[in-house]
Amino acid sequence: MARLADFSLDDSSPATSPHADGTEAPAEEANGSKPSEGKEAPANAKNTKVPAARLGTGLPDPKAKATEQLVVCERAIHDAKVKWRDAADKAMAAFLDEAGPYFVWVHENKLYKHLKDNNGKPYRSFNRYCQEQHGISRSSGYRITRVIPLLNILAKADHPVGDLSSRQTQVLHPVRRQHGEDSVLKVWGTAWATKKGVVPSPDELTKAVTLCGLVVRAEDDEDEKPALTQANPGAEVEKAVKILVPDTVRLAVKEDPEKVLLLARTLTAALEEAGITID
């Protein structure tokens, strides 16, 4: 499948050019008429811009020391790379603005699972689908699935913002997934009323979640997780028991209390289903 990088901004290829047989259209004169026979078009009719370095301008002095020549080359390469990256970032941002809503739709409805990966198996991961089918990085996939929906919600409610930080997104994303768009707006509005900066900070948003009485759990959009060993699930639990010693649990609580709380809830629910009461 073709990827974004395979396409060019030049739409004058033989497939689309009115002169698909390879001939060029005759240039028009200033008055709009075609040039008379035998009269050649000026050499610069196409206004082709040739890079200065290709013509030899700015290249190192061949008589200079090798290290000095290298400095000149490295500086020019670095400057060109900065321009290229800036252009690439702008192109990617424009691409995500246009294609982002469709990526979000594919993610929300898990449509990627109807497409086969490079191994001929249905995709279980949206990020792998983005990377293999469209050359989209994991960070861009994160923006597609988390940031773009939030920006759209705020924009439709007349709260447009240019972007959201990763920490702001970490607060609002599970609110949207677990409580809906109205709750996102409620949290944003609550934080906005007491904000100290231009927009609500991550801490102000977190406080607003509590003030709104919402309970959220940490989420991971990655669908593809290691499968539990079905032949002997008890062995997996035994491994967990060896790992989850008191000191390890205390450290985990300090580093990521939300995941530890989720684990505790999962274990409690499983025990209750089995009719086992925790004393």
Side-chain angles (χ1 to χ4, degrees):
M1 177 178 290
R3 300 171 186 248
L4 180 64
D6 296 330
F7 294 93
S8 169
L9 295 179
D10 181 8
D11 60 356
S12 60
S13 61
T16 57
S17 172
H19 296 271
D21 59 356
T23 61
E24 295 182 1
E28 293 186 351
E29 294 184 340
N31 59 5
S33 62
K34 295 182 180 179
S36 58
E37 292 184 7
K39 184 178 181 180
E40 296 182 359
N44 61 348
K46 293 185 178 180
N47 294 322
T48 302
K49 185 177 180 180
V50 180
R54 193 182 297 173
L55 300 176
T57 306
L59 289 174
D61 182 355
K63 297 179 181 179
K65 295 180 180 179
T67 53
E68 294 175 354
Q69 294 182 43
L70 178 61
V71 168
V72 173
C73 292
E74 282 292 312
R75 184 183 296 116
I77 292 171
H78 173 76
D79 291 344
K81 188 184 294 184
V82 170
K83 293 178 182 178
W84 169 71
R85 285 179 174 171
D86 182 60
D89 289 343
K90 290 179 179 178
M92 177 56 74
F95 169 71
L96 292 182
D97 283 342
E98 182 175 347
Y102 298 95
F103 274 113
V104 172
W105 188 277
V106 169
H107 175 263
E108 296 283 319
N109 295 283
K110 300 187 183 300
L111 301 181
Y112 56 88
K113 293 188 175 182
H114 296 274
L115 195 63
K116 293 183 178 180
D117 61 18
N118 292 343
N119 297 319
K121 298 181 180 179
Y123 280 105
R124 296 173 57 193
S125 163
F126 178 75
N127 280 322
R128 281 192 59 217
Y129 153 76
C130 285
Q131 291 170 7
E132 294 184 5
Q133 292 295 324
H134 301 289
I136 301 297
S137 67
R138 187 178 183 87
S139 60
S140 294
Y142 174 90
R143 176 174 176 77
I144 289 170
T145 59
R146 297 190 175 199
V147 182
I148 289 180
L150 293 172
L151 292 175
N152 290 343
I153 292 171
L154 295 175
K156 287 188 293 185
D158 294 327
H159 293 294
V161 292
D163 204 353
L164 294 171
S165 69
S166 59
R167 289 190 60 211
Q168 288 173 314
T169 303
Q170 286 174 0
V171 177
L172 294 175
H173 171 69
V175 172
R176 179 183 74 87
R177 295 272 290 180
Q178 298 168 34
H179 299 281
E181 296 186 5
D182 290 342
S183 293
V184 171
L185 295 175
K186 185 177 180 180
V187 168
W188 186 265
T190 301
W192 187 274
T194 57
K195 66 181 177 61
K196 296 181 180 179
V198 178
V199 295
S201 68
D203 291 338
E204 289 170 339
L205 290 172
T206 300
K207 183 178 180 181
V209 171
T210 302
L211 291 175
C212 292
L214 299 176
V215 177
V216 296
R217 64 182 186 279
E219 282 201 358
D220 186 357
D221 278 337
E222 186 62 63
D223 298 304
E224 194 169 15
K225 299 179 177 64
L228 181 66
T229 304
Q230 298 296 329
N232 188 7
E236 299 297 326
V237 175
E238 185 176 352
K239 290 179 183 178
V241 170
K242 292 179 179 179
I243 296 174
L244 297 177
V245 296
D247 289 342
T248 303
V249 173
R250 291 190 189 96
L251 181 60
V253 169
K254 291 181 180 179
E255 293 183 351
D256 198 340
E258 289 294 332
K259 285 188 178 179
V260 175
L261 184 58
L262 177 60
L263 175 61
R265 289 173 179 168
T266 302
L267 292 173
T268 300
L271 290 170
E272 289 178 351
E273 289 178 4
I276 301 173
T277 303
I278 301 177
D279 295 331

